[in-house]
Short mmCIF file of all heavy atoms in Angstrom, two decimals:
data_model
loop_
_atom_site.label_atom_id
_atom_site.label_comp_id
_atom_site.label_asym_id
_atom_site.label_seq_id
_atom_site.Cartn_x
_atom_site.Cartn_y
_atom_site.Cartn_z
N MET A 22 22.70 6.68 -12.18
CA MET A 22 22.97 7.71 -13.19
C MET A 22 21.92 7.73 -14.30
O MET A 22 21.54 8.77 -14.81
CB MET A 22 24.35 7.49 -13.80
CG MET A 22 25.49 7.94 -12.91
SD MET A 22 25.32 9.65 -12.40
CE MET A 22 25.81 10.49 -13.89
N GLY A 23 21.43 6.55 -14.66
CA GLY A 23 20.48 6.44 -15.76
C GLY A 23 19.25 7.29 -15.54
O GLY A 23 18.65 7.79 -16.50
N TYR A 24 18.88 7.49 -14.27
CA TYR A 24 17.65 8.20 -13.97
C TYR A 24 17.71 9.65 -14.46
O TYR A 24 16.79 10.14 -15.11
CB TYR A 24 17.36 8.16 -12.46
CG TYR A 24 16.21 9.04 -12.12
CD1 TYR A 24 14.91 8.64 -12.41
CD2 TYR A 24 16.41 10.31 -11.59
CE1 TYR A 24 13.84 9.47 -12.16
CE2 TYR A 24 15.35 11.14 -11.33
CZ TYR A 24 14.07 10.71 -11.61
OH TYR A 24 13.02 11.54 -11.37
N ILE A 25 18.83 10.32 -14.14
CA ILE A 25 18.95 11.74 -14.54
C ILE A 25 18.87 11.86 -16.06
O ILE A 25 18.18 12.72 -16.60
CB ILE A 25 20.26 12.35 -13.99
CG1 ILE A 25 20.21 12.34 -12.46
CG2 ILE A 25 20.48 13.75 -14.52
CD1 ILE A 25 21.44 12.85 -11.78
N PHE A 26 19.57 10.96 -16.72
CA PHE A 26 19.56 11.02 -18.19
C PHE A 26 18.16 10.76 -18.75
O PHE A 26 17.73 11.43 -19.68
CB PHE A 26 20.56 10.01 -18.77
CG PHE A 26 21.98 10.41 -18.52
CD1 PHE A 26 22.84 9.59 -17.80
CD2 PHE A 26 22.46 11.63 -19.00
CE1 PHE A 26 24.15 9.98 -17.55
CE2 PHE A 26 23.78 12.01 -18.75
CZ PHE A 26 24.62 11.19 -18.02
N SER A 27 17.46 9.79 -18.12
CA SER A 27 16.12 9.48 -18.64
C SER A 27 15.17 10.65 -18.40
O SER A 27 14.30 10.93 -19.22
CB SER A 27 15.58 8.18 -18.04
OG SER A 27 15.10 8.40 -16.74
N ALA A 28 15.34 11.35 -17.27
CA ALA A 28 14.47 12.50 -16.99
C ALA A 28 14.72 13.62 -17.99
O ALA A 28 13.83 14.40 -18.33
CB ALA A 28 14.71 13.00 -15.57
N MET A 29 15.97 13.71 -18.46
CA MET A 29 16.33 14.80 -19.39
C MET A 29 16.07 14.43 -20.85
O MET A 29 15.96 15.31 -21.70
CB MET A 29 17.82 15.13 -19.25
CG MET A 29 18.18 15.81 -17.95
SD MET A 29 19.95 16.06 -17.87
CE MET A 29 20.18 17.39 -19.02
N MET A 30 15.99 13.14 -21.11
CA MET A 30 16.00 12.66 -22.49
C MET A 30 14.91 13.29 -23.36
O MET A 30 15.22 13.91 -24.38
CB MET A 30 15.88 11.12 -22.49
CG MET A 30 16.18 10.48 -23.82
SD MET A 30 17.81 10.91 -24.43
CE MET A 30 18.82 9.77 -23.51
N ALA A 31 13.63 13.14 -22.93
CA ALA A 31 12.53 13.62 -23.77
C ALA A 31 12.64 15.13 -24.04
O ALA A 31 12.60 15.56 -25.21
CB ALA A 31 11.20 13.27 -23.14
N PRO A 32 12.82 15.98 -22.99
CA PRO A 32 12.91 17.41 -23.27
C PRO A 32 14.09 17.79 -24.17
O PRO A 32 13.98 18.66 -25.02
CB PRO A 32 13.08 18.04 -21.89
CG PRO A 32 12.60 17.02 -20.93
CD PRO A 32 12.85 15.70 -21.55
N ILE A 33 15.22 17.08 -23.99
CA ILE A 33 16.40 17.38 -24.82
C ILE A 33 16.11 17.02 -26.29
O ILE A 33 16.46 17.76 -27.21
CB ILE A 33 17.64 16.61 -24.30
CG1 ILE A 33 18.00 17.07 -22.88
CG2 ILE A 33 18.83 16.76 -25.26
CD1 ILE A 33 18.56 18.46 -22.76
N ILE A 34 15.43 15.88 -26.47
CA ILE A 34 15.07 15.47 -27.84
C ILE A 34 14.17 16.54 -28.47
O ILE A 34 14.38 16.98 -29.60
CB ILE A 34 14.39 14.09 -27.85
CG1 ILE A 34 15.41 13.00 -27.54
CG2 ILE A 34 13.70 13.81 -29.19
CD1 ILE A 34 14.83 11.62 -27.33
N TYR A 35 13.18 17.00 -27.69
CA TYR A 35 12.28 18.03 -28.20
C TYR A 35 13.05 19.32 -28.50
O TYR A 35 12.81 19.99 -29.50
CB TYR A 35 11.15 18.32 -27.20
CG TYR A 35 10.16 17.19 -27.04
CD1 TYR A 35 9.70 16.81 -25.78
CD2 TYR A 35 9.67 16.51 -28.15
CE1 TYR A 35 8.79 15.77 -25.63
CE2 TYR A 35 8.76 15.47 -28.01
CZ TYR A 35 8.32 15.11 -26.75
OH TYR A 35 7.43 14.09 -26.61
N LEU A 36 13.97 19.63 -27.60
CA LEU A 36 14.75 20.86 -27.76
C LEU A 36 15.55 20.83 -29.05
O LEU A 36 15.58 21.79 -29.81
CB LEU A 36 15.68 21.03 -26.55
CG LEU A 36 16.37 22.37 -26.41
CD1 LEU A 36 15.36 23.45 -26.03
CD2 LEU A 36 17.47 22.30 -25.36
N ILE A 37 16.17 19.68 -29.30
CA ILE A 37 16.99 19.56 -30.50
C ILE A 37 16.10 19.51 -31.75
O ILE A 37 16.31 20.25 -32.71
CB ILE A 37 17.90 18.31 -30.42
CG1 ILE A 37 18.92 18.50 -29.30
CG2 ILE A 37 18.61 18.06 -31.75
CD1 ILE A 37 19.68 17.25 -28.92
N THR A 38 15.06 18.65 -31.69
CA THR A 38 14.21 18.46 -32.87
C THR A 38 13.45 19.74 -33.21
O THR A 38 13.52 20.23 -34.34
CB THR A 38 13.19 17.33 -32.61
OG1 THR A 38 13.88 16.23 -32.08
CG2 THR A 38 12.48 16.93 -33.89
N PHE A 39 12.74 20.28 -32.23
CA PHE A 39 11.90 21.44 -32.50
C PHE A 39 12.67 22.76 -32.43
O PHE A 39 12.46 23.65 -33.23
CB PHE A 39 10.71 21.47 -31.53
CG PHE A 39 9.76 20.33 -31.74
CD1 PHE A 39 9.75 19.24 -30.88
CD2 PHE A 39 8.88 20.32 -32.81
CE1 PHE A 39 8.88 18.18 -31.08
CE2 PHE A 39 8.00 19.26 -33.02
CZ PHE A 39 8.00 18.19 -32.14
N GLY A 40 13.53 22.83 -31.41
CA GLY A 40 14.22 24.10 -31.20
C GLY A 40 15.30 24.36 -32.20
O GLY A 40 15.28 25.36 -32.92
N VAL A 41 16.25 23.42 -32.28
CA VAL A 41 17.41 23.63 -33.15
C VAL A 41 17.08 23.24 -34.59
O VAL A 41 17.46 23.92 -35.53
CB VAL A 41 18.63 22.82 -32.62
CG1 VAL A 41 19.86 23.07 -33.49
CG2 VAL A 41 18.91 23.18 -31.18
#
Side-chain angles (χ1 to χ4, degrees):
Chain A
M22 283 305 283
Y24 172 75
I25 296 177
F26 290 120
S27 78
M29 289 177 74
M30 193 56 81
I33 297 290
I34 288 172
Y35 291 137
L36 191 70
I37 294 168
T38 312
F39 293 104
V41 182

